[in-house]
Amino acid sequence: MSRLSMTAGIILVLIVGFCVQLLFTFAGTEDTPNKAVVKFSKAYFQLDRSMAERICHERLTFGDVDVVDQYLYRVAGEAKKRGFGINFMKNKLYHIETKTLNKNDNEAQIRITGKRRISINPAYVIVAKLFNLSETYEVDAIVDVVREDGKWKVCGDIFSLPAI
């Protein structure tokens, strides 16, 4: 009888754990201004085209020019001048902290702080830190965020994206 109650207890713990995990999963999918700024910032420093998903419509293009494409083209040109490929210009953003300065239903102002380091590939960050191969740069910016199409998107002057 004790074997049956022990098995039932284990099954009960597993079921409760599964339900709690589902609860945390759904709670973590809520779109917030802070998550939008972090997602954009990580993509921006990794030179990932997906940053365009988090830029507001008015800021995404300038005339017929895609701002993200123009930025990536400029960074690739800068890398080429130095004799490198674009991968040498990628940075890893870490120790990220965000603070909401102002927020209403459709607009927010978020301060993001963190550190960035050159990240040619995932292992490079670790090796560079261990052997002090590259510098760490502070990131401290205030980003305006707006709600468009049900998602929070960054707007205004965003790091060094070409200005409108």
Side-chain angles (χ1 to χ4, degrees), residues 2-160:
S2 104
R3 178 93 172 126
L4 180 63
S5 65
M6 187 173 163
T7 304
I10 291 172
I11 291 172
L12 183 62
V13 167
L14 290 174
I15 291 172
V16 169
F18 180 74
C19 292
V20 169
Q21 183 63 38
L22 280 177
L23 178 70
F24 286 144
T25 300
F26 288 119
T29 59
E30 179 186 0
D31 190 33
T32 65
N34 299 52
K35 286 182 183 179
V37 170
V38 169
K39 186 173 180 180
F40 168 79
S41 300
K42 285 182 175 182
Y44 173 84
F45 288 114
Q46 277 291 302
L47 304 176
D48 187 350
R49 178 96 178 88
S50 70
M51 73 176 99
E53 297 171 9
R54 288 296 184 165
I55 299 176
C56 65
H57 294 300
E58 79 175 46
R59 186 74 174 85
L60 195 54
T61 58
F62 179 63
D64 293 339
V65 178
D66 185 315
V67 174
V68 174
D69 285 341
Q70 183 181 11
Y71 170 68
L72 294 176
Y73 180 77
R74 188 180 75 211
V75 171
E78 186 179 324
K80 189 173 182 179
K81 281 184 204 175
R82 294 180 179 181
F84 299 120
I86 194 166
N87 283 347
F88 284 86
M89 303 299 280
K90 291 182 178 182
N91 284 266
K92 170 92 172 151
L93 186 62
Y94 59 98
H95 294 296
I96 304 165
E97 293 184 20
T98 59
K99 181 179 179 185
T100 304
L101 302 177
N102 294 317
K103 182 181 176 194
N104 62 34
D105 291 340
N106 294 316
E107 295 179 352
Q109 198 172 44
I110 308 295
R111 180 176 187 192
I112 183 168
T113 57
K115 297 179 182 208
R116 67 180 175 90
R117 184 182 286 263
I118 293 173
S119 175
I120 298 166
N121 63 42
Y124 182 80
V125 175
I126 297 166
V127 172
K129 196 170 195 172
L130 286 174
F131 296 106
N132 201 21
L133 295 176
S134 68
E135 292 184 46
T136 301
Y137 302 95
E138 297 291 325
V139 174
D140 188 356
I142 295 175
V143 181
D144 295 321
V145 188
V146 297
R147 187 187 297 259
E148 280 184 357
D149 305 327
K151 287 180 80 174
W152 288 98
K153 298 186 178 190
V154 297
C155 220
D157 293 331
I158 311 162
F159 300 118
S160 65

